[in-house]
Structure formats: structure tokens, C-alpha cells
Amino acid sequence: MANNQIFAKGVKMDAHFSGTAFVNFLIPDMNRVYNCQVYDVLFEAGCRNDWHSHPGGQFLLCTHGIGYYQEKGKSARRLTKGDVVEIPPDVVHWHGAAPDSAFSHIGISPNTQKGPVEWLGEVNDDEYFNATKAQTK
Amino acid sequence: MANNQIFAKGVKMDAHFSGTAFVNFLIPDMNRVYNCQVYDVLFEAGCRNDWHSHPGGQFLLCTHGIGYYQEKGKSARRLTKGDVVEIPPDVVHWHGAAPDSAFSHIGISPNTQKGPVEWLGEVNDDEYFNATKAQTK
């Protein structure tokens, strides 16, 4: 674990990501005591997750590197350490690393009693290139 | 803001803390969209909050320095960067810095629809000394 990471590297994801990502479930809430899950995600450079939405919304707390967040139909937002992203329920979006930098964020899924994440297909190379090109020159 | 802090220093607290603490509300959830609040807390050395409990539970993600967490009637747990504390609903507890080190954690309050934090009186000097003495020699 690099010294600038807070949490241990998690498990390598095998679905719903383009590229290599690791997820460490900090609060899995398997017994649904809290209606809330907390996890740390490390995206390697160029990695992003698929388009998706959460019935209960989601928060991202950016802790390391450079990343992007994009809502469907909007310009992407560039993210660095200390940025906070508030994602309302059912808003279709993706998040991930910059093409040339790894990226870590803590993710928080509140209101999980409203249902699980809905995955909506990959962010293809054109979409990713267009989202990140203006800010990575 | 020190380089090893993730978030900007928040507002100085004037109640429910012994000592000096700053809270930055990252997700205040004023409109109760998420039933979840997220905040960053910086405790100066020796500072701790009052005994309290949360009807919906609470999570702490430790990011900097050395701190302690104690549940009523139990030994205190020493905390450092990367530690995660899961606090079940209605468990009476306090958290704060070590006597000789500042401490920062992200706090997450899920299930806020179940009600607000209940404050239960200060952690007095004897309680704090006894909780932290064994591990600060």
C-alpha cells in the first residue's frame, strides 16, 4: 500500500469496470442494520466504471490522484483530493481515473433499502476520450 | 490546511466537545434526500466529544493522527489512519484525539430518519485519562 493511500487495496473487480479497479468494502452492511454501504475504490489510470445509477443516491469523497465524474448528457467534472461529489437518486453517471493518473475515492451508498445499483452498460472509449480530453492536455 | 489533511478545516465547535474541534459538513443533507450525513472532524490533542448515541448508528473512517473510541463500560480502542469504526444504533460512546496527538476522522451518520444524535454529558478528565493512559506511555 502506498503511503498516500488511506486504506488497504481491496479486491480486483471483474465486472462493471473498463480497466483495472480494486474495491475494499469498509462497511458492507450485510445485515442491513444501517441501510448504508461504505467502500474504498482504487482505479488504475484509464479505468472507469460502467454507466449506472443508485435508487438511494451516492457520495464520492476523493482521496488521491486525478479522476472524473460525468452525468449522462453533461460535461465531465475533473476531481482531485478533497473533492466531494453528491449524486442524487436515479441520476445516470460514471466515475473513474484520468487517462494518465490513478484515482482513489471513498464511496458511500445511503438508503440502500431503496434498491441496488442499476448497471447500464460500459463507458466506451469514445465517450471516455471525449469526457476527459479537454482537461488532460 | 496541512498537506496530510484531505478536507479543508471546518467550523469550530462550541458545544458537546471538551477541547478544540473543527467540523466540515461534506454532505449536510439538509433536504433529507439521503437520510445520511457526512462530515470531517479534526480534534486537537486532548479533545474529545461528549458521550452520545445515534438512533441510526455511525461510522468513523480515520484519516490522520492518533485517536480513541470508547463504548460505555468497555476499554477504549486506539485509532490510526485507515481504521474503520462501526457503531451500532443506540450504543453510547465517545471519540476524540489522543492526549498528545491531533486526530481526524470522516464521520458518517446513516439512517438519520430514525432521529438525531443524543448527547449524554461530557467525558470528564478522569474518564479520558483512564481510557487513554494504558496506550500513551
Side-chain angles (χ1 to χ4, degrees), chain A residues 50-63:
Chain A
D50 290 354
W51 291 106
H52 64 288
S53 63
H54 301 262
Q58 186 183 31
F59 313 135
L60 310 179
L61 311 181
C62 305
T63 55

Side-chain angles (χ1 to χ4, degrees), chain B residues 23-108:
Chain B
V23 177
N24 179 353
F25 263 89
L26 305 174
I27 302 284
D29 195 20
M30 297 296 285
N31 296 325
R32 297 181 171 275
V33 171
Y34 305 100
N35 294 319
C36 186
Q37 295 180 317
V38 183
Y39 36 92
D40 188 57
V41 186
L42 169 61
F43 300 84
E44 293 190 355
C47 178
R48 66 276 185 183
N49 53 25
D50 290 355
W51 292 106
H52 63 288
S53 63
H54 301 263
Q58 186 183 32
F59 313 135
L60 311 179
L61 312 182
C62 305
T63 55
H64 177 251
I66 301 171
Y68 285 86
Y69 166 74
Q70 185 178 31
E71 298 182 1
K72 196 88 175 180
K74 298 187 180 179
S75 297
R77 175 179 165 194
R78 186 173 168 94
L79 301 171
T80 58
K81 180 178 173 179
D83 285 333
V84 175
V85 183
E86 179 180 325
I87 307 167
D90 300 320
V91 167
V92 175
H93 68 279
W94 64 267
H95 28 114
D100 55 355
S101 171
F103 176 59
S104 292
H105 69 60
I106 297 163
I108 302 169

Side-chain angles (χ1 to χ4, degrees), chain A residues 3 5-7 26-27 33-36 38 56-57 59 61-63 81-82 84 86-89 106 108 110-111 113, chain B residues 3 5-7 26-27 33-36 38 56-57 59 61-63 81-82 84 86-89 106 108 110-111:
Chain A
N3 190 44
Q5 299 290 331
I6 302 169
F7 304 104
L26 305 174
I27 301 285
V33 171
Y34 305 100
N35 294 320
C36 186
V38 183
F59 313 135
L61 311 181
C62 305
T63 55
K81 180 178 174 179
V84 175
E86 179 180 324
I87 307 167
I106 297 163
I108 302 169
N111 276 339
Q113 77 281 8
Chain B
N3 189 45
Q5 298 290 333
I6 301 169
F7 304 104
L26 305 174
I27 302 284
V33 171
Y34 305 100
N35 294 319
C36 186
V38 183
F59 313 135
L61 312 182
C62 305
T63 55
K81 180 178 173 179
V84 175
E86 179 180 325
I87 307 167
I106 297 163
I108 302 169
N111 276 337

Side-chain angles (χ1 to χ4, degrees), chain A residues 17-57:
Chain A
F17 288 80
S18 299
T20 301
F22 301 86
V23 177
N24 179 353
F25 263 88
L26 305 174
I27 301 285
D29 195 19
M30 296 296 285
N31 296 325
R32 296 180 172 274
V33 171
Y34 305 100
N35 294 320
C36 186
Q37 294 180 317
V38 183
Y39 36 91
D40 187 57
V41 186
L42 169 61
F43 300 84
E44 292 190 354
C47 178
R48 66 278 186 181
N49 54 25
D50 290 354
W51 291 106
H52 64 288
S53 63
H54 301 262

